[in-house]
Amino acid sequence: MNSVRPALLTVAVLAAAAIGVRFGLARQAAIARRRIGKPLGEDALAVDRVWRRRLPGEPIDLLIVGDSLAAGLGASRRKETLGGRLAKGLAKRTGRPVRLRSLAVVGSESPDLAEQIDRLTPEDRVDVAVIVVGGNDVTHRIPVAESVGHLVAAVQRLQQRGARVVVGTCPDLSALRPVPQPLRTLASRLSRRLAEAQAEGAARAGAASVSLRRTVGPLFLDEPEQMFSLDRFHPSALGYRRTAEALLPAVVAALTAPVTG
C-alpha cells in the first residue's frame, strides 16, 4: 500500500498541474480577446465582381472560401482584400478577366466550409478555388484530424464541380503579439501542426497547398506594424498583398493542372 500512495500522489499532482495550466491558458485567452476586441467589426468588404473586365476572353471563375483572412477583414478597400489581390494578379498573369466570388465568412472554422460550398448552385462555374482556414480551429481547439477531414471533404466537393483547388495552410499564430505567453507559444506549435496536416491532406486529395507560415510568416513576425491592421490580428493592406503574392503562383499553375476527383 505504501508504494501505491506515492503513485497516487504523483497522479494527483499532475492532474492539478494540468487543471492549473488549463485555467491559466483560458485566462490568457480572455486577455487576448480583450486586447484584440472587434475594431474592424465582423463583416468584410463585398468583393464579388468581374475584375479587369476589359481584358479579352472568357472570364476565369475564381472562388474564395474560408475564414476572415480569406474574406479580407482588415482591408479598407476591396482591391486590397485577399480575393481582390488574387483576382487582379490572376488577370494580369493570364490576360483574361476574372470573375471573383467569395463565400468566406469571418469567424469560420473548417467545419463551416461545407455550409459555404452549399451556397453554390449547380449552374455556378468554378475554374479555380482558394481555401484559407485554420486559425480559428487552433484558437477553438478543434482536433487536427477533424479539421483536416472537413478540409479534404471541401476540396473533394470543389473538385467534383470541375475546380482546381489551392489551399493556403494555417498561418503562424506566433506573430500575434496581443496573445500573451505562454499561450502564444502554444498557439504557434498548434498552428504549425495543423498547417502540416492540412498540406498532407491537400496532397492526398490532389490539391495544391501553400505554406503561409513559411512564405509570409517571417514578414508578420519582423514587421508587425506594417503587416497587421489596427486590431493587430488581421492583415493590413500590405499583409494581404504579401499573402496574395505567396498564393498567386500556385493559383496560376492550378489553372493548367488536370482536375482531380
Side-chain angles (χ1 to χ4, degrees):
M1 291 295 292
N2 290 338
S3 62
V4 175
R5 288 175 181 172
L8 292 175
L9 179 60
T10 300
V11 171
V13 170
L14 291 175
I19 292 172
V21 169
R22 183 179 304 171
F23 278 111
L25 293 176
R27 184 168 60 251
Q28 289 183 336
I31 292 172
R33 284 193 293 271
R34 286 197 300 272
R35 288 178 179 176
I36 295 167
K38 294 184 179 181
L40 304 175
E42 297 183 354
D43 297 316
L45 297 173
V47 297
D48 291 13
R49 55 171 285 192
V50 177
W51 295 77
R52 300 294 190 262
R53 63 172 61 248
R54 293 184 180 179
L55 290 173
E58 185 72 15
I60 297 168
D61 285 285
L62 170 64
L63 176 70
I64 308 290
V65 296
D67 55 20
S68 56
L69 199 162
L73 186 66
S76 58
R77 297 185 291 179
R78 59 183 178 179
K79 69 179 183 179
E80 297 172 345
T81 63
L82 181 62
R85 292 282 187 187
L86 286 174
K88 289 191 300 177
L90 185 57
K92 183 177 181 178
R93 293 283 192 96
T94 62
R96 292 169 56 188
V98 174
R99 183 185 295 112
L100 172 64
R101 183 172 184 187
S102 175
L103 299 177
V105 177
V106 174
S108 289
E109 304 163 358
S110 295
D112 299 314
L113 294 174
E115 184 176 351
Q116 293 180 21
I117 297 173
D118 284 344
R119 291 162 57 191
L120 293 171
T121 68
E123 292 74 29
D124 287 330
R125 280 183 45 196
V126 183
D127 294 314
V128 59
V130 176
I131 303 175
V132 181
V133 73
N136 294 318
D137 295 50
V138 172
T139 58
H140 295 156
R141 301 302 301 271
I142 296 178
V144 170
E146 180 181 343
S147 294
V148 174
H150 288 289
L151 174 65
V152 169
V155 169
Q156 292 172 337
R157 287 185 63 187
L158 291 168
Q159 289 171 337
Q160 290 166 3
R161 300 181 65 95
R164 285 82 167 178
V165 183
V166 176
V167 175
T169 59
C170 184
D172 183 3
L173 299 189
S174 68
L176 301 179
R177 300 293 177 85
V179 178
Q181 296 288 15
L183 182 59
R184 195 191 319 159
T185 298
L186 175 61
S188 175
R189 187 162 58 245
L190 294 174
S191 63
R192 171 180 291 182
R193 181 183 172 200
L194 177 57
E196 292 172 350
Q198 286 177 322
E200 293 172 0
R204 289 196 307 270
S209 67
V210 176
S211 172
L212 299 182
R213 181 187 190 95
R214 289 197 299 268
T215 56
V216 295
L219 296 175
F220 280 88
L221 283 168
D222 295 340
E223 305 172 20
E225 288 77 16
Q226 290 75 37
M227 298 295 289
F228 283 105
S229 60
L230 59 88
D231 69 353
R232 298 182 295 165
F233 188 85
H234 294 92
S236 64
L238 179 60
Y240 281 119
R241 177 182 174 183
R242 298 305 185 206
T243 303
E245 289 172 348
L247 288 165
L248 186 59
V251 175
V252 174
L255 279 173
T256 61
V259 178
T260 305

